[in-house]
Amino acid sequence: MADSEAEADKVIARAMNTISDVHPMELLLADSSRAHLERACVHPKTGASNCSVDSPYSCIAVRRGHPQLLPDAEALNACPKLLGRMGGALSAACVPVNFMGRALGVLHVAGAKGKPPNPEQIAQLTALGVHAGNRIGTLRAFERSQLQASTDSLTGLTNRRVAEEVLVNLVAVDSAFAVVMADLDFFKRLNDTMGHDAGDRALKLFADTA
């Protein structure tokens, strides 16, 4: 039911507390570049599990596409990012968060050595990962479509349709405003002599500067 990622994060944190009140947990989500993971929310009582994985596909659970249960961080087949954590030996569980086959992030849970989440908790974490991925993925897809519909894809500036809507609203409330218009001298000559790629770069540079 969340209408924003911030609201979704709050619900996810509440769910973490419902699943376990002894295991530190965190939700790590990919940023807009999809190359880096950022901490989105943590367990409200036990705090973060402090996973050091920095990109989605650096996580073994994301690469394998299903939850990973790691009873002993020091085992040879355990994730190497679990070693050297403060507090000594650990156990962990990692649940991938996906949307339409695309990795969004991971739910990471830590515990004492030999005391990872039990099977029922793993099932609940898996369900939470599915619901979180579906909602956050849908919200991000909607945000991208809204952005694409309201901005110019090259420069990122507001497009004509949205600009006209803004002006109509300003006129409707009798608000004072000013319109500034700019023109790039000899832009056609730039396209003709240097090519349209150069023209595109010039437009983007001008938009960024403005």
Side-chain angles (χ1 to χ4, degrees):
M1 298 294 290
D3 290 327
S4 68
E5 275 200 51
E7 289 182 7
D9 291 342
K10 290 178 181 178
V11 177
I12 293 165
R14 287 171 53 203
M16 290 175 177
N17 192 46
T18 300
I19 293 170
S20 172
D21 58 3
V22 297
H23 292 93
M25 301 184 197
E26 62 195 353
L27 171 63
L28 305 175
L29 290 177
D31 61 10
S32 57
S33 71
R34 300 177 188 154
H36 305 286
L37 286 174
E38 299 174 339
R39 186 175 289 117
C41 64
V42 303
H43 193 293
K45 293 181 180 177
T46 59
S49 47
N50 296 315
C51 180
S52 62
V53 66
D54 57 2
S55 66
Y57 286 97
S58 295
C59 174
I60 188 172
V62 173
R63 289 203 304 268
R64 293 180 177 176
H66 54 82
Q68 299 295 303
L69 188 61
L70 307 165
D72 182 0
E74 296 179 340
L76 292 176
N77 63 344
C79 176
K81 297 185 183 298
L82 291 172
L83 293 173
R85 299 270 189 96
M86 292 181 62
L90 294 174
S91 60
C94 305
V95 176
V97 177
N98 301 317
F99 178 64
M100 297 182 70
R102 178 179 295 167
L104 289 182
V106 61
L107 276 168
H108 185 266
V109 186
K113 182 178 179 180
K115 296 181 179 179
N118 60 43
E120 181 182 357
Q121 289 170 326
I122 292 295
Q124 292 173 322
L125 287 165
T126 302
L128 178 59
V130 170
H131 288 298
N134 287 340
R135 191 62 191 145
I136 292 171
T138 299
L139 288 168
R140 289 188 174 186
F142 180 72
E143 185 179 351
R144 280 196 302 273
S145 66
Q146 290 290 93
L147 185 65
Q148 291 168 353
S150 62
T151 59
D152 173 68
S153 60
L154 175 65
T155 63
L157 296 177
T158 300
N159 62 25
R160 176 176 174 174
R161 179 181 63 81
V162 175
E164 288 177 346
E165 288 178 1
V166 171
L167 293 175
V168 167
N169 290 334
L170 289 172
V171 171
V173 298
D174 197 26
S175 175
F177 62 89
V179 176
V180 178
M181 299 187 69
D183 182 55
L184 298 184
D185 291 339
F186 311 114
F187 184 68
K188 183 177 184 305
R189 185 186 303 174
L190 174 65
N191 275 332
D192 291 344
T193 57
M194 302 298 292
H196 287 279
D197 285 344
D200 287 350
R201 290 196 300 274
L203 284 176
K204 191 173 187 313
L205 176 61
F206 176 74
D208 291 343
T209 304

